[in-house]
Amino acid sequence: MEDGVLKEGFLVKRGHIVHNWKARWFILRQNTLLYYKLEGGRRVTPPKGRIVLDGCTITCPCLEYENRPLLIKLKTRTSTEYFLEACSREERDSWAFEITGAIHAGQPGKIQQLHILKNSFKLPPHISLHRIVDKMHDTSSGIRPSPNMEQGSTYKKTFLGSSLVDWLISSNFAASRLEAVTLASMLMEENFLRPVGVRSMGAIRSGDLAEQFLDDSTALYTFAESYKKKVSPKEEISLSTMELSGTVVKQGYLSKQGHKRKNWKVRRFVLRKDPAFLHYYDPSKEENRPVGGFSLRGSLVSALEDNGVPTGVKGNVQGNLFKVITKDDTHYYIQASSKAERAEWIEAIKKLT
C-alpha cells in the first residue's frame, strides 16, 4: 500500500447520471475517497472521481436496493449521494469501519467506540442465518406475521421488533437480548428481514454503525421478498442448483480474461466446497445469478510469472496473475490485486482440487 492509504480495493459504484453499476478501484485516504477506472488490469490516472469525506454521513447497512444488500451509502456535505457495493458482508463492514474512521479522524472518542462495536459484532460460527430464517418460517414454531398498526396505518404480515428478540431467545439462538438484537441486525443486513413503517425505517436512516434493529414493541419488520422468491423452472434448467448448494469458502472481486473477446472485466468470484465450484458474477447486473463457473474437481491452479505478459494473456496485462485449467482443459486467466491476495486464492482453490 502507498503512504497515507488506509484501504484500497474494488467496490461497485452506482453512476450519478445513468444509474448503472460499475466496478471501480477505490483508494481511501484520511480525508478523501478516490476511485479509478481500470483498463488492462491497471488503474487509469488521474482518478475518475473523488469523494471529500469532511462532513460526510455514512449509512451501513443501506437497504435502498432490494437486490443489492451489501451497500454503503455516503452523503456528502453538498447532499451528493454515493452508493458503493462490496463483495461480502465482512468486506462491506470493513470499508464502512475505515470510512467512518476517516470521517471522524479528529474525534478519538468516536474511533474508540467504533473499535468496540467492530469487535463485538460477530456471528457465532455454529449459527447459520439460513437455518434461523427457515425456523422463522416454520408454521408451528416460527414467527407469525400479522396486521399491525403504526401511526394510523395498518401494515399486513409484520411482526414487532421485541417479539423477534423474544423468539430468538426462546428458540435458543441467542442467550441475551443484546445477542438477539445483534442476530436480528445481521438478518436485516443480509436482506432476510426488512424494516416497515416510520419507527424501524428511522433507525436504519440514522446511519450509525451501531445495531440498527430495534428491540421495541412499536418497531415493525417483515420478511424480505427476496427470501420468498422462487427460481423459475427455466432458470433451474440453465443452472444446476446443486452447483450453488456448497458452503462458501471465499469470495471477492477479481479481474478475468474473457474467453471469446479476451477483454478483461471485474467479476465477483465465489468459491464453494461440497461440491467444489468456482462461480463468477457480473457486479453490474441486478440479478444474483452467476454468469459462469466450473467444477474444481481435477483442476490445476498456478501463479503466472510477474515479469512481462505471460503466454495466453491478451493485452498489456501483467502482475498478480494466476491460471486455472479445468478437467476439460479450459483455461481461465485471473488477476488479483496483490501478490498476497493471489496466494490466498491459489491456496484456497488448491485445497478443493
Side-chain angles (χ1 to χ4, degrees), residues 14 19 21 57-75 79-85 92 188-191 193-195 201-207 212 224 286:
R14 192 194 76 173
H19 286 181
W21 297 81
T57 57
I58 180 168
T59 304
C60 177
C62 168
L63 303 180
E64 293 189 28
Y65 285 84
E66 185 183 342
N67 293 330
R68 294 184 183 272
L70 298 173
L71 283 180
I72 295 167
K73 178 169 132 183
L74 291 176
K75 191 173 185 179
S79 294
T80 305
E81 292 183 339
Y82 292 88
F83 292 88
L84 312 174
E85 184 180 39
R92 181 204 59 196
M188 203 160 60
E189 286 187 38
E190 295 296 332
N191 215 28
L193 302 181
R194 89 178 347 190
M201 288 298 285
I204 286 292
R205 292 198 185 100
S206 72
Q212 298 188 344
E286 285 288 326

Short mmCIF file of all heavy atoms in Angstrom, two decimals, residues 14 19 21 57-75 79-85 92 188-191 193-195 201-207 212 224 286:
data_model
loop_
_atom_site.label_atom_id
_atom_site.label_comp_id
_atom_site.label_asym_id
_atom_site.label_seq_id
_atom_site.Cartn_x
_atom_site.Cartn_y
_atom_site.Cartn_z
N ARG A 14 -22.60 3.01 -8.12
CA ARG A 14 -23.73 3.44 -8.95
C ARG A 14 -23.39 4.75 -9.65
O ARG A 14 -22.86 5.68 -9.02
CB ARG A 14 -24.99 3.64 -8.10
CG ARG A 14 -26.27 3.78 -8.92
CD ARG A 14 -27.42 4.30 -8.11
NE ARG A 14 -27.28 5.73 -7.85
CZ ARG A 14 -28.22 6.48 -7.26
NH1 ARG A 14 -29.34 5.93 -6.85
NH2 ARG A 14 -28.02 7.77 -7.06
N HIS A 19 -28.02 5.53 -13.87
CA HIS A 19 -27.85 4.74 -12.66
C HIS A 19 -27.43 3.30 -12.97
O HIS A 19 -28.08 2.34 -12.55
CB HIS A 19 -29.12 4.77 -11.81
CG HIS A 19 -29.31 6.08 -11.11
ND1 HIS A 19 -30.37 6.35 -10.28
CD2 HIS A 19 -28.57 7.22 -11.12
CE1 HIS A 19 -30.27 7.59 -9.82
NE2 HIS A 19 -29.18 8.13 -10.33
N TRP A 21 -24.29 0.30 -12.78
CA TRP A 21 -23.34 -0.08 -11.74
C TRP A 21 -22.03 -0.54 -12.39
O TRP A 21 -22.05 -1.39 -13.27
CB TRP A 21 -23.93 -1.19 -10.88
CG TRP A 21 -25.17 -0.74 -10.14
CD1 TRP A 21 -26.42 -0.67 -10.65
CD2 TRP A 21 -25.25 -0.30 -8.78
NE1 TRP A 21 -27.30 -0.21 -9.69
CE2 TRP A 21 -26.60 0.02 -8.54
CE3 TRP A 21 -24.31 -0.16 -7.75
CZ2 TRP A 21 -27.05 0.48 -7.29
CZ3 TRP A 21 -24.76 0.29 -6.52
CH2 TRP A 21 -26.10 0.61 -6.30
N THR A 57 -21.92 11.83 5.71
CA THR A 57 -22.60 10.86 6.58
C THR A 57 -22.59 9.53 5.86
O THR A 57 -22.65 9.46 4.63
CB THR A 57 -24.06 11.27 6.88
OG1 THR A 57 -24.76 11.42 5.63
CG2 THR A 57 -24.14 12.57 7.66
N ILE A 58 -22.48 8.45 6.65
CA ILE A 58 -22.42 7.10 6.08
C ILE A 58 -23.59 6.29 6.59
O ILE A 58 -23.96 6.36 7.76
CB ILE A 58 -21.06 6.43 6.43
CG1 ILE A 58 -20.99 5.02 5.82
CG2 ILE A 58 -20.81 6.39 7.92
CD1 ILE A 58 -19.59 4.40 5.87
N THR A 59 -24.23 5.54 5.69
CA THR A 59 -25.31 4.62 6.07
C THR A 59 -24.88 3.21 5.72
O THR A 59 -24.60 2.91 4.56
CB THR A 59 -26.62 4.96 5.31
OG1 THR A 59 -26.95 6.32 5.56
CG2 THR A 59 -27.77 4.08 5.77
N CYS A 60 -24.79 2.37 6.73
CA CYS A 60 -24.41 0.97 6.53
C CYS A 60 -25.01 0.14 7.66
O CYS A 60 -24.72 0.41 8.81
CB CYS A 60 -22.89 0.83 6.53
SG CYS A 60 -22.35 -0.88 6.38
N PRO A 61 -25.89 -0.83 7.37
CA PRO A 61 -26.28 -1.26 6.03
C PRO A 61 -27.23 -0.25 5.36
O PRO A 61 -27.95 0.45 6.05
CB PRO A 61 -27.00 -2.58 6.30
CG PRO A 61 -27.54 -2.43 7.68
CD PRO A 61 -26.55 -1.60 8.43
N CYS A 62 -27.21 -0.23 4.03
CA CYS A 62 -28.14 0.59 3.25
C CYS A 62 -29.07 -0.36 2.51
O CYS A 62 -28.61 -1.20 1.73
CB CYS A 62 -27.35 1.46 2.27
SG CYS A 62 -28.40 2.26 1.05
N LEU A 63 -30.37 -0.25 2.77
CA LEU A 63 -31.34 -1.22 2.22
C LEU A 63 -32.20 -0.62 1.11
O LEU A 63 -33.33 -1.02 0.90
CB LEU A 63 -32.24 -1.76 3.34
CG LEU A 63 -31.51 -2.41 4.52
CD1 LEU A 63 -32.51 -2.88 5.56
CD2 LEU A 63 -30.65 -3.58 4.07
N GLU A 64 -31.66 0.37 0.41
CA GLU A 64 -32.48 1.05 -0.60
C GLU A 64 -32.62 0.26 -1.90
O GLU A 64 -33.48 0.55 -2.71
CB GLU A 64 -31.89 2.45 -0.89
CG GLU A 64 -32.01 3.36 0.33
CD GLU A 64 -31.66 4.80 0.03
OE1 GLU A 64 -31.83 5.23 -1.13
OE2 GLU A 64 -31.19 5.49 0.96
N TYR A 65 -31.76 -0.75 -2.10
CA TYR A 65 -31.86 -1.60 -3.30
C TYR A 65 -32.02 -3.05 -2.85
O TYR A 65 -31.11 -3.64 -2.29
CB TYR A 65 -30.60 -1.48 -4.17
CG TYR A 65 -30.52 -0.19 -4.94
CD1 TYR A 65 -30.01 0.97 -4.36
CD2 TYR A 65 -30.96 -0.11 -6.26
CE1 TYR A 65 -29.95 2.17 -5.06
CE2 TYR A 65 -30.90 1.08 -6.97
CZ TYR A 65 -30.40 2.22 -6.36
OH TYR A 65 -30.34 3.39 -7.07
N GLU A 66 -33.20 -3.62 -3.10
CA GLU A 66 -33.51 -4.96 -2.59
C GLU A 66 -32.50 -6.01 -3.07
O GLU A 66 -32.12 -6.90 -2.33
CB GLU A 66 -34.92 -5.37 -3.03
CG GLU A 66 -35.36 -6.70 -2.43
CD GLU A 66 -36.73 -7.15 -2.91
OE1 GLU A 66 -37.48 -6.31 -3.44
OE2 GLU A 66 -37.01 -8.34 -2.78
N ASN A 67 -32.07 -5.90 -4.34
CA ASN A 67 -31.17 -6.91 -4.90
C ASN A 67 -29.70 -6.63 -4.63
O ASN A 67 -28.83 -7.34 -5.10
CB ASN A 67 -31.39 -7.04 -6.42
CG ASN A 67 -32.76 -7.61 -6.74
OD1 ASN A 67 -33.30 -8.39 -5.96
ND2 ASN A 67 -33.33 -7.20 -7.85
N ARG A 68 -29.42 -5.57 -3.88
CA ARG A 68 -28.03 -5.24 -3.54
C ARG A 68 -27.94 -4.98 -2.03
O ARG A 68 -27.88 -3.83 -1.58
CB ARG A 68 -27.56 -4.02 -4.33
CG ARG A 68 -27.48 -4.27 -5.84
CD ARG A 68 -26.94 -3.07 -6.59
NE ARG A 68 -26.93 -3.30 -8.03
CZ ARG A 68 -25.94 -3.86 -8.72
NH1 ARG A 68 -24.86 -4.25 -8.09
NH2 ARG A 68 -26.01 -4.03 -10.02
N PRO A 69 -27.95 -6.06 -1.24
CA PRO A 69 -27.97 -5.90 0.22
C PRO A 69 -26.63 -5.50 0.84
O PRO A 69 -26.56 -5.22 2.02
CB PRO A 69 -28.39 -7.28 0.72
CG PRO A 69 -27.95 -8.23 -0.34
CD PRO A 69 -28.05 -7.48 -1.64
N LEU A 70 -25.55 -5.46 0.04
CA LEU A 70 -24.22 -5.19 0.60
C LEU A 70 -23.74 -3.77 0.29
O LEU A 70 -22.59 -3.53 -0.04
CB LEU A 70 -23.22 -6.23 0.08
CG LEU A 70 -23.54 -7.67 0.46
CD1 LEU A 70 -22.61 -8.63 -0.25
CD2 LEU A 70 -23.46 -7.87 1.96
N LEU A 71 -24.67 -2.83 0.39
CA LEU A 71 -24.37 -1.44 0.02
C LEU A 71 -23.94 -0.59 1.20
O LEU A 71 -24.37 -0.79 2.33
CB LEU A 71 -25.61 -0.78 -0.59
CG LEU A 71 -25.99 -1.11 -2.03
CD1 LEU A 71 -27.23 -0.33 -2.41
CD2 LEU A 71 -24.86 -0.79 -3.00
N ILE A 72 -23.09 0.40 0.88
CA ILE A 72 -22.77 1.51 1.77
C ILE A 72 -23.26 2.76 1.04
O ILE A 72 -23.05 2.90 -0.17
CB ILE A 72 -21.25 1.63 1.98
CG1 ILE A 72 -20.71 0.40 2.71
CG2 ILE A 72 -20.90 2.91 2.74
CD1 ILE A 72 -19.19 0.32 2.68
N LYS A 73 -23.91 3.67 1.78
CA LYS A 73 -24.32 4.94 1.17
C LYS A 73 -23.55 6.08 1.83
O LYS A 73 -23.50 6.16 3.06
CB LYS A 73 -25.82 5.15 1.36
CG LYS A 73 -26.34 6.47 0.79
CD LYS A 73 -27.86 6.47 0.78
CE LYS A 73 -28.40 7.74 1.37
NZ LYS A 73 -29.86 7.73 1.45
N LEU A 74 -22.94 6.92 1.01
CA LEU A 74 -22.26 8.11 1.50
C LEU A 74 -23.02 9.34 1.02
O LEU A 74 -23.39 9.42 -0.15
CB LEU A 74 -20.83 8.18 0.98
CG LEU A 74 -19.84 7.14 1.51
CD1 LEU A 74 -18.50 7.30 0.79
CD2 LEU A 74 -19.64 7.28 3.01
N LYS A 75 -23.26 10.27 1.92
CA LYS A 75 -23.92 11.53 1.55
C LYS A 75 -22.97 12.66 1.93
O LYS A 75 -22.61 12.81 3.10
CB LYS A 75 -25.26 11.66 2.28
CG LYS A 75 -26.11 12.81 1.76
CD LYS A 75 -27.49 12.76 2.40
CE LYS A 75 -28.40 13.81 1.81
NZ LYS A 75 -29.74 13.75 2.41
N SER A 79 -24.86 17.18 -0.15
CA SER A 79 -26.01 16.26 -0.38
C SER A 79 -25.89 15.40 -1.62
O SER A 79 -26.88 14.86 -2.11
CB SER A 79 -27.34 17.03 -0.42
OG SER A 79 -27.59 17.59 0.84
N THR A 80 -24.67 15.23 -2.15
CA THR A 80 -24.47 14.25 -3.24
C THR A 80 -24.43 12.86 -2.61
O THR A 80 -23.77 12.66 -1.59
CB THR A 80 -23.14 14.52 -3.97
OG1 THR A 80 -23.14 15.87 -4.43
CG2 THR A 80 -22.98 13.59 -5.16
N GLU A 81 -25.16 11.91 -3.22
CA GLU A 81 -25.22 10.55 -2.67
C GLU A 81 -24.40 9.59 -3.51
O GLU A 81 -24.47 9.61 -4.74
CB GLU A 81 -26.68 10.07 -2.61
CG GLU A 81 -27.50 10.82 -1.58
CD GLU A 81 -28.93 10.30 -1.47
OE1 GLU A 81 -29.41 9.64 -2.42
OE2 GLU A 81 -29.56 10.56 -0.44
N TYR A 82 -23.63 8.76 -2.84
CA TYR A 82 -22.83 7.71 -3.49
C TYR A 82 -23.27 6.36 -2.94
O TYR A 82 -23.35 6.19 -1.71
CB TYR A 82 -21.34 7.91 -3.22
CG TYR A 82 -20.75 9.13 -3.86
CD1 TYR A 82 -20.76 10.36 -3.20
CD2 TYR A 82 -20.16 9.08 -5.13
CE1 TYR A 82 -20.22 11.49 -3.78
CE2 TYR A 82 -19.61 10.21 -5.72
CZ TYR A 82 -19.64 11.42 -5.04
OH TYR A 82 -19.10 12.53 -5.61
N PHE A 83 -23.55 5.41 -3.84
CA PHE A 83 -23.89 4.05 -3.43
C PHE A 83 -22.75 3.13 -3.85
O PHE A 83 -22.40 3.06 -5.03
CB PHE A 83 -25.19 3.60 -4.09
CG PHE A 83 -26.41 4.34 -3.59
CD1 PHE A 83 -26.80 5.53 -4.18
CD2 PHE A 83 -27.14 3.86 -2.51
CE1 PHE A 83 -27.91 6.23 -3.71
CE2 PHE A 83 -28.25 4.54 -2.04
CZ PHE A 83 -28.64 5.73 -2.64
N LEU A 84 -22.15 2.43 -2.88
CA LEU A 84 -20.99 1.57 -3.13
C LEU A 84 -21.31 0.17 -2.64
O LEU A 84 -21.77 -0.02 -1.51
CB LEU A 84 -19.76 2.11 -2.38
CG LEU A 84 -19.47 3.61 -2.54
CD1 LEU A 84 -18.32 4.02 -1.65
CD2 LEU A 84 -19.19 3.95 -4.00
N GLU A 85 -21.05 -0.83 -3.48
CA GLU A 85 -21.36 -2.22 -3.13
C GLU A 85 -20.09 -3.03 -2.95
O GLU A 85 -19.19 -3.01 -3.79
CB GLU A 85 -22.21 -2.86 -4.23
CG GLU A 85 -22.66 -4.27 -3.88
CD GLU A 85 -23.50 -4.90 -4.98
OE1 GLU A 85 -23.19 -4.70 -6.16
OE2 GLU A 85 -24.47 -5.59 -4.64
N ARG A 92 -17.81 -5.31 3.31
CA ARG A 92 -18.59 -4.09 3.43
C ARG A 92 -18.40 -3.43 4.80
O ARG A 92 -18.19 -2.23 4.92
CB ARG A 92 -20.08 -4.39 3.23
CG ARG A 92 -20.97 -3.15 3.32
CD ARG A 92 -22.39 -3.50 3.70
NE ARG A 92 -22.43 -4.18 4.98
CZ ARG A 92 -23.49 -4.86 5.41
NH1 ARG A 92 -24.56 -4.95 4.66
NH2 ARG A 92 -23.47 -5.45 6.58
N MET A 188 -31.21 -8.59 9.05
CA MET A 188 -31.63 -7.44 8.27
C MET A 188 -30.55 -7.05 7.27
O MET A 188 -30.83 -6.75 6.10
CB MET A 188 -31.94 -6.29 9.21
CG MET A 188 -32.87 -5.25 8.63
SD MET A 188 -33.65 -4.26 9.92
CE MET A 188 -32.25 -3.53 10.73
N GLU A 189 -29.29 -7.07 7.71
CA GLU A 189 -28.18 -6.72 6.82
C GLU A 189 -28.09 -7.66 5.63
O GLU A 189 -27.75 -7.26 4.52
CB GLU A 189 -26.85 -6.79 7.58
CG GLU A 189 -26.64 -5.65 8.54
CD GLU A 189 -25.24 -5.70 9.13
OE1 GLU A 189 -24.31 -6.05 8.41
OE2 GLU A 189 -25.12 -5.42 10.31
N GLU A 190 -28.39 -8.95 5.88
CA GLU A 190 -28.28 -9.95 4.81
C GLU A 190 -29.56 -10.03 3.99
O GLU A 190 -29.76 -10.95 3.20
CB GLU A 190 -27.94 -11.32 5.40
CG GLU A 190 -26.58 -11.39 6.07
CD GLU A 190 -25.44 -11.17 5.09
OE1 GLU A 190 -25.59 -11.48 3.91
OE2 GLU A 190 -24.39 -10.66 5.52
N ASN A 191 -30.48 -9.07 4.21
CA ASN A 191 -31.69 -8.94 3.39
C ASN A 191 -32.71 -10.06 3.60
O ASN A 191 -33.50 -10.36 2.72
CB ASN A 191 -31.31 -8.85 1.90
CG ASN A 191 -32.25 -7.91 1.16
OD1 ASN A 191 -32.79 -6.99 1.74
ND2 ASN A 191 -32.44 -8.16 -0.12
N LEU A 193 -34.67 -9.88 6.45
CA LEU A 193 -35.74 -9.08 7.06
C LEU A 193 -35.66 -7.67 6.51
O LEU A 193 -34.60 -7.23 6.09
CB LEU A 193 -35.54 -8.98 8.58
CG LEU A 193 -35.49 -10.25 9.40
CD1 LEU A 193 -35.30 -9.89 10.87
CD2 LEU A 193 -36.75 -11.07 9.22
N ARG A 194 -36.80 -6.96 6.59
CA ARG A 194 -36.72 -5.55 6.21
C ARG A 194 -37.62 -4.72 7.13
O ARG A 194 -38.64 -5.20 7.61
CB ARG A 194 -37.04 -5.38 4.75
CG ARG A 194 -38.42 -5.18 4.32
CD ARG A 194 -38.52 -4.98 2.82
NE ARG A 194 -37.25 -4.73 2.16
CZ ARG A 194 -37.14 -4.34 0.90
NH1 ARG A 194 -38.21 -4.16 0.18
NH2 ARG A 194 -35.98 -4.12 0.36
N PRO A 195 -37.19 -3.48 7.42
CA PRO A 195 -37.98 -2.62 8.29
C PRO A 195 -39.23 -2.12 7.59
O PRO A 195 -39.25 -1.93 6.38
CB PRO A 195 -37.02 -1.47 8.60
CG PRO A 195 -36.07 -1.45 7.46
CD PRO A 195 -35.97 -2.84 6.92
N MET A 201 -37.80 2.23 10.10
CA MET A 201 -37.09 2.86 8.99
C MET A 201 -36.22 4.02 9.48
O MET A 201 -35.12 4.25 8.99
CB MET A 201 -38.07 3.39 7.93
CG MET A 201 -38.76 2.30 7.12
SD MET A 201 -37.63 1.29 6.14
CE MET A 201 -37.22 2.41 4.82
N GLY A 202 -36.71 4.72 10.51
CA GLY A 202 -35.95 5.83 11.08
C GLY A 202 -34.64 5.37 11.68
O GLY A 202 -33.62 6.05 11.57
N ALA A 203 -34.65 4.18 12.30
CA ALA A 203 -33.42 3.64 12.91
C ALA A 203 -32.39 3.31 11.83
O ALA A 203 -31.19 3.55 12.00
CB ALA A 203 -33.75 2.38 13.70
N ILE A 204 -32.85 2.80 10.68
CA ILE A 204 -31.96 2.49 9.57
C ILE A 204 -31.32 3.77 9.04
O ILE A 204 -30.13 3.81 8.75
CB ILE A 204 -32.75 1.80 8.42
CG1 ILE A 204 -33.10 0.38 8.81
CG2 ILE A 204 -31.98 1.81 7.12
CD1 ILE A 204 -31.93 -0.55 8.90
N ARG A 205 -32.12 4.83 8.93
CA ARG A 205 -31.61 6.08 8.34
C ARG A 205 -30.68 6.84 9.27
O ARG A 205 -30.06 7.80 8.86
CB ARG A 205 -32.79 6.98 7.95
CG ARG A 205 -33.61 6.40 6.79
CD ARG A 205 -34.47 7.45 6.13
NE ARG A 205 -35.32 6.84 5.12
CZ ARG A 205 -36.60 6.54 5.32
NH1 ARG A 205 -37.17 6.79 6.46
NH2 ARG A 205 -37.32 5.99 4.36
N SER A 206 -30.58 6.39 10.53
CA SER A 206 -29.70 7.11 11.47
C SER A 206 -28.26 7.07 10.99
O SER A 206 -27.47 7.95 11.28
CB SER A 206 -29.79 6.49 12.86
OG SER A 206 -29.15 5.23 12.88
N GLY A 207 -27.91 6.03 10.20
CA GLY A 207 -26.58 5.96 9.59
C GLY A 207 -25.48 5.63 10.56
O GLY A 207 -24.31 5.68 10.21
N GLN A 212 -28.86 -1.57 14.27
CA GLN A 212 -29.96 -0.75 13.79
C GLN A 212 -31.31 -1.46 13.89
O GLN A 212 -32.32 -0.96 13.44
CB GLN A 212 -29.68 -0.32 12.35
CG GLN A 212 -28.43 0.51 12.28
CD GLN A 212 -28.19 1.11 10.91
OE1 GLN A 212 -28.79 0.69 9.94
NE2 GLN A 212 -27.32 2.09 10.83
N ALA A 224 -38.21 -10.17 4.04
CA ALA A 224 -37.88 -9.55 2.75
C ALA A 224 -38.39 -10.43 1.63
O ALA A 224 -38.32 -11.65 1.69
CB ALA A 224 -36.37 -9.37 2.63
N GLU A 286 -28.23 -6.67 -11.83
CA GLU A 286 -29.06 -6.73 -10.63
C GLU A 286 -29.24 -8.15 -10.11
O GLU A 286 -29.19 -8.40 -8.93
CB GLU A 286 -30.45 -6.13 -10.92
CG GLU A 286 -30.48 -4.63 -11.02
CD GLU A 286 -30.31 -3.92 -9.67
OE1 GLU A 286 -30.77 -4.45 -8.66
OE2 GLU A 286 -29.69 -2.84 -9.65
#
